[in-house]
Amino acid sequence: MKLLTLARDLQRRRARERHNQFVAEGIRTVEELLRSAVVPRGALVSPALAGSLRGEAVCELLHARGVLIDHVTDGDYATATSTESPQGVLVVAEVPPRDLNTLVLQPRARVLVLDGVQDPGNVGTLLRTAAALGVDATFAMPGTVDLWNAKVVRSAMGAIFQHPALACTWDALDEFRAARHVPLWAADAAGTILDKITVPASLALIVGNEGAGLSDFARSRAEQGVAIPIVSAVESLNVAVAAGILLYHLRP
């Protein structure tokens, strides 16, 4: 399959799962990918990249890594990207192998659990925030957007290439936590106020859908709800903002 055709196909989740590959778009994202252990399979470059010193540097990095480069027109490139203002470079790469059973946690572990979070920009920001705050891993539960969606990858700003993030079932999460003695807390407006709670050594924090909040299924599994004190005039916070505040205050 030609790289352009493959890149177009990888805009669909089923294609990403079938090929076990994804697309990384834009100069910054490609730079971060090439600095990581993720395996690139090929790159598309369009004239839009020309004239940029940073763009030329990215091309040199691609050459140095031995990545096959296909030069295409801006029009053809646009059919393979989901960005409104394409920068003229994307890489098709292998989804890195990540196994729940071999995941290593720190003695005072922190895990982020995404319950039906559907906006790719939010999920990318959550991954970046989790990585920045030293979270050991992020699990995407059923109903959450695909972690290898191009907008998730772009919004994560390279964090997804380094931070252990993987899709997970509820049963697998329960087994994982039980084996490692990691309690599950939920970000919940009806929970205990953040500064009035004793934090355990290890902890998994679950955050819910942008509109509906936590699912009943997730809430029933949580051992503790925790809330951020906010003024009554504001109903709620963006899920990525709320997670960032909670992860910072609940850090080990």
Side-chain angles (χ1 to χ4, degrees):
M1 183 183 293
K2 290 184 178 180
L3 190 63
L4 176 60
T5 303
L6 177 59
R8 289 169 176 159
D9 197 28
L10 292 175
Q11 293 186 56
R12 300 181 301 112
R13 182 172 188 159
R14 286 185 179 181
R16 293 192 293 272
E17 292 172 348
R18 183 172 68 253
H19 294 289
N20 199 40
Q21 295 179 341
F22 70 98
V23 168
E25 306 174 21
I27 293 174
R28 170 66 182 276
T29 305
V30 170
E31 287 174 339
E32 294 299 328
L33 185 148
L34 293 174
R35 294 188 184 107
S36 75
V38 174
V39 178
R41 286 303 181 195
L44 293 180
V45 171
S46 83
L49 193 66
S52 162
L53 292 178
R54 195 170 173 187
E56 292 175 3
V58 165
C59 284
E60 291 177 3
L61 283 172
L62 289 167
H63 282 297
R65 286 285 300 269
V67 180
L68 173 68
I69 300 176
D70 278 2
H71 292 272
V72 297
T73 66
D74 287 332
D76 281 341
Y77 183 92
T79 66
T81 179
S82 60
T83 58
E84 294 182 2
S85 301
Q87 294 181 321
V89 61
L90 67 78
V91 167
V92 171
E94 293 183 5
V95 173
R98 289 170 179 170
D99 188 340
L100 192 68
N101 296 319
T102 59
L103 184 64
V104 177
L105 299 183
Q106 298 300 315
R108 295 177 61 82
R110 291 295 179 270
V111 173
L112 179 62
V113 181
L114 310 182
D115 174 36
V117 184
Q118 296 177 343
D119 181 83
N122 279 339
V123 171
T125 302
L126 284 160
L127 293 175
R128 188 181 182 197
T129 301
L133 293 175
V135 172
D136 294 73
T138 297
F139 300 149
M141 309 312 294
T144 297
V145 68
D146 178 24
L147 295 175
W148 297 101
N149 174 294
K151 188 173 181 181
V152 173
V153 174
R154 188 167 63 250
S155 299
M157 302 289 284
I160 195 170
F161 306 139
Q162 308 285 354
H163 176 67
L166 60 159
C168 185
T169 66
W170 287 105
D171 287 344
L173 177 64
D174 289 344
E175 292 176 9
F176 178 85
R177 292 192 307 104
R180 294 160 178 79
H181 308 289
V182 179
L184 180 64
W185 284 17
D188 189 347
T192 304
I193 297 299
L194 188 60
D195 56 6
K196 297 180 179 180
I197 201 165
T198 301
V199 183
S202 291
L203 176 64
L205 175 69
I206 185 167
V207 296
N209 175 271
E210 293 88 347
L214 289 172
S215 64
D216 291 339
F217 198 77
R219 188 176 277 107
S220 69
R221 274 169 157 71
E223 299 159 43
Q224 172 72 53
V226 60
I228 300 168
I230 59 177
V231 298
S232 59
V234 178
E235 181 181 0
S236 63
L237 295 172
N238 170 274
V239 62
V241 172
I245 294 170
L246 288 167
L247 289 172
Y248 176 79
H249 283 278
L250 296 173
R251 69 195 187 281

